[in-house]
């Protein structure tokens, strides 16, 4: 039995912490995250307000918890959209080959010709800068990577004996895809989905920071950091805690992604062995 | 070599056309009349009719695309709704500001990260390697906008060594411009060092496992010669390709750093245009940045044979 890698343990612990914070934040927070209290505006961290308060006297810990649920929800929905649509398109493209494959891959290459964040910004200009706009635009941007990975896997799998055997046994095309092709795509997709969670979390924070994401007063980590810029010299805690939370979440996902790649990517396994 | 260069350049043309088609379609899918969108609320009936005529709105979509592409090839990207200025000169002016942040950051981080990555690979699983990889992973996990704010807080507000925010052009004052650019460049440098170091380490590890390195060591060559003369060129190839992607992505994402340090660069122009729904500028920025991205990657591919001559033979 292989020893458990430290990056897997730390990665799981950090992502678990962020997940728990997001889950708890959706149902309960120490204070009302949106309630203003001017008597305690810009209060430093204390026993009453563990992470201090903002310029409207709102509890920062409560806002970080609610922000976690918003950021995590957007990330998960984006990844689900990208993985599900990309998997279907990738399987169809790789299995049908011929002109459908050429058309799909030309369109996909057009998406990949843009830097990801640039295309997301272009789509946001069209779809509108809001939560749904972010999910749709980032989902579409990351879908192109999924299409490429799944199509590549399908192209290599469809020539293998076990797939041919499935046909010889009289199984239908859809059964063969579900039973033999799709399970073999799960390992590369798991690695990709983990990295994608990190990319989405970062992109969503960056877009919110630019003012193109979820609009205040609803908190996200990115718009909390953007709001703290005006109070850089008065309330350092407004800068420290949201940034620290994003960084720890990204660190957890990066470490988890590395650990999963080491375990699931056959090329890495060979190198490790 | 010439054949390789011509083939690679020919391959970039369809990509540029696809980029153009995508940007053209992106604005056309917005419900409503594209001419009204391009003019905004400011346009009167005569201006609207003139623009409809110029864009060929009454013609079929492929014909409209050809008219649009023709204007584009003449450098005509239309005029900004917000300022009334022609789009292309505005974009070029802002691009030259963004380049002053992005290019030095990428060059500096490459010069620092590649030797560090090679050193980490050479000392694989030793203390130096673990320290470098851990630092790189930590740096990669810190978003640039937070890193920029922390550096502002430390060097601008607490220590008072560097100006807090703003921009001075080199034509106004060389020293002033350099002073204002130090923090944004350093912020991007810290982030990219982590990314490049990990790539340089991974590609060096691949190369160090190959037979010709074992052979070089068996000949009794000193480690410095093995690393620099034999491993470096092969190990640098993947990192070189990554640099093209990083440059392009930074140009697309530079709005973040420009927002932190209030620099009037290309990224900020794009974001401000999205707020103002200034579609001619949005379209122009998308095309310009994506075009630069394709061209930078083309240049990277064309220069790749310097590090690995085998690619021209393939």
């Amino acid at each position: 039995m292989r020893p458990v890698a430290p990056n897997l343990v730390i990665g799981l612990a950090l992502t678990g912490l962020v997940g728990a914070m997001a889950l708890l934040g959706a149902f309960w927070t120490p204070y009302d995250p949106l309630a203003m209290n001017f008597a305690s505006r810009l209060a430093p961290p204390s026993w009453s307000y563990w992470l201090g308060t903002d310029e409207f006297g709102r509890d920062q810990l409560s806002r970080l918890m609610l922000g976690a649920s918003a950021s995590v929800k957007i990330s998960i929905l984006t990844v689900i959209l990208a993985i599900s649509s990309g998997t279907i398109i990738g399987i169809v493209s790789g299995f049908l080959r011929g002109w459908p494959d050429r058309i799909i891959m030309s369109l996909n290459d057009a998406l990949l010709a843009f830097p990801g964040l640039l295309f997301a910004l272009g789509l946001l200009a069209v779809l509108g800068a809001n939560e749904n706009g972010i999910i749709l635009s980032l989902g579409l941007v990351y879908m192109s990577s999924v299409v490429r990975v799944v199509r590549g896997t399908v192209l290599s799998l469809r020539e293998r004996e076990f797939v041919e055997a499935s046909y010889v046994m009289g199984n239908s095309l859809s059964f063969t895809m579900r039973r033999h092709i799709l399970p073999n795509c799960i390992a590369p997709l798991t690695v990709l989905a983990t990295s994608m969670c990190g990319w989405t979390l970062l992109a969503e924070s960056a877009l919110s920071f630019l003012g193109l994401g979820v609009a205040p007063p609803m908190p996200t980590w990115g718009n909390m950091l953007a709001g703290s810029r005006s109070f850089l010299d008065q309330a350092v805690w407004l800068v420290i805690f949201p940034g620290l939370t994003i960084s720890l979440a990204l660190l957890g996902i990066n470490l988890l992604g590395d650990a999963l790649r080491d375990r699931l990517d056959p090329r890495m396994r060979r190198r490790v062995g | 070599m010439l054949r390789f260069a011509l083939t690679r350049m020919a391959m970039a043309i369809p990509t540029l056309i696809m980029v153009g088609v995508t940007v053209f379609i992106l604005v056309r899918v917005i419900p409503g009349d594209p001419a009204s969108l391009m003019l905004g609320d400011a346009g009167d009936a005569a201006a609207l009719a003139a623009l409809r005529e110029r864009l060929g709105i009454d013609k079929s979509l492929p014909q409209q695309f050809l008219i649009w592409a023709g204007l584009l090839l003449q450098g005509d990207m239309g005029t900004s709704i917000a300022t009334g200025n022609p789009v292309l000169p505005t974009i070029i002016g802002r691009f030259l500001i963004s380049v002053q942040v992005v290019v030095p950051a990428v060059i500096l981080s490459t010069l620092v990260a590649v030797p560090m990555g090679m050193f980490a690979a050479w000392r694989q699983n030793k203390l130096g390697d673990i320290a470098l990889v851990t630092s790189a992973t930590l740096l990669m996990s810190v978003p640039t906008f937070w890193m920029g704010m922390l550096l502002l807080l430390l060097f601008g507000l607490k220590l008072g060594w560097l100006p807090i925010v703003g921009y001075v052009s080199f034509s106004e004052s060389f020293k002033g411009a350099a002073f204002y650019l130090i923090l944004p460049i350093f912020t991007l440098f810290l982030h990219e060092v982590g990314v490049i170091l990990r790539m340089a380490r991974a590609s060096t590890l691949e190369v160090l496992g190959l037979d010709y390195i074992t052979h070089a060591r068996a000949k009794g060559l000193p480690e410095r010669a093995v690393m620099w003369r034999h491993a470096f060129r092969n190990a640098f190839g993947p990192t070189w390709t990554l640099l093209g992607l990083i440059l392009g992505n930074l140009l697309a994402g530079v709005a973040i750093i420009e927002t932190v340090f209030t620099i009037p660069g290309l990224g900020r122009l794009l974001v401000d245009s999205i707020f103002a729904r200034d579609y001619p500028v949005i379209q122009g920025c998308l095309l310009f940045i994506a075009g630069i991205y394709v061209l930078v990657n083309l240049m990277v591919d064309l220069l790749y044979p310097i590090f690995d001559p085998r690619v021209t033979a393939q």
Side-chain angles (χ1 to χ4, degrees), chain A residues 17 38 61 72 149 154 169 194 218 252 262 265:
Chain A
L17 196 68
F38 287 98
L61 175 61
V72 169
V149 168
V154 171
M169 285 164 70
T194 315
M218 186 51 95
D262 290 349
D265 187 336

Side-chain angles (χ1 to χ4, degrees), chain A residues 107-242:
Chain A
L107 292 172
N108 204 54
D109 286 347
L111 290 183
L112 286 168
F114 288 85
L117 193 62
L118 180 74
F119 198 63
L121 284 170
L123 284 171
L124 277 179
V126 175
L127 298 167
N130 51 48
E131 190 177 314
N132 290 338
I134 288 191
I135 294 170
L136 273 174
S137 56
L138 290 179
L140 200 60
V141 166
Y142 296 140
M143 180 193 80
S144 49
S145 309
V146 181
V147 170
R148 214 153 240 295
V149 168
V150 172
R151 175 184 172 269
T153 312
V154 171
L155 279 178
S156 70
L157 285 174
R158 57 170 292 153
E159 308 299 334
R160 300 271 293 273
E161 286 87 349
F162 67 90
V163 174
E164 282 178 23
S166 173
Y167 287 129
V168 173
M169 285 164 70
N171 292 327
S172 68
L173 181 70
S174 67
F175 180 86
T176 309
M177 279 196 188
R178 269 185 290 117
R179 188 67 191 266
H180 298 291
I181 302 281
L182 203 56
N184 278 293
C185 294
I186 285 174
L189 279 179
T190 309
V191 175
L192 188 62
T194 315
S195 305
M196 218 181 270
C197 275
W199 303 339
T200 314
L201 201 69
L202 183 61
E204 184 275 322
S205 305
L207 291 170
S208 295
F209 180 78
L210 291 173
L212 293 169
V214 178
M218 186 51 95
T220 64
W221 297 338
N223 73 22
M224 287 175 74
L225 259 183
S228 74
R229 286 174 63 223
S230 316
F231 305 95
L232 215 56
D233 53 341
Q234 300 170 49
V236 72
W237 55 92
L238 292 181
V239 182
I240 301 289
F241 294 115

Side-chain angles (χ1 to χ4, degrees), chain A residues 10 60 252:
Chain A
I10 301 171
Q60 191 169 212

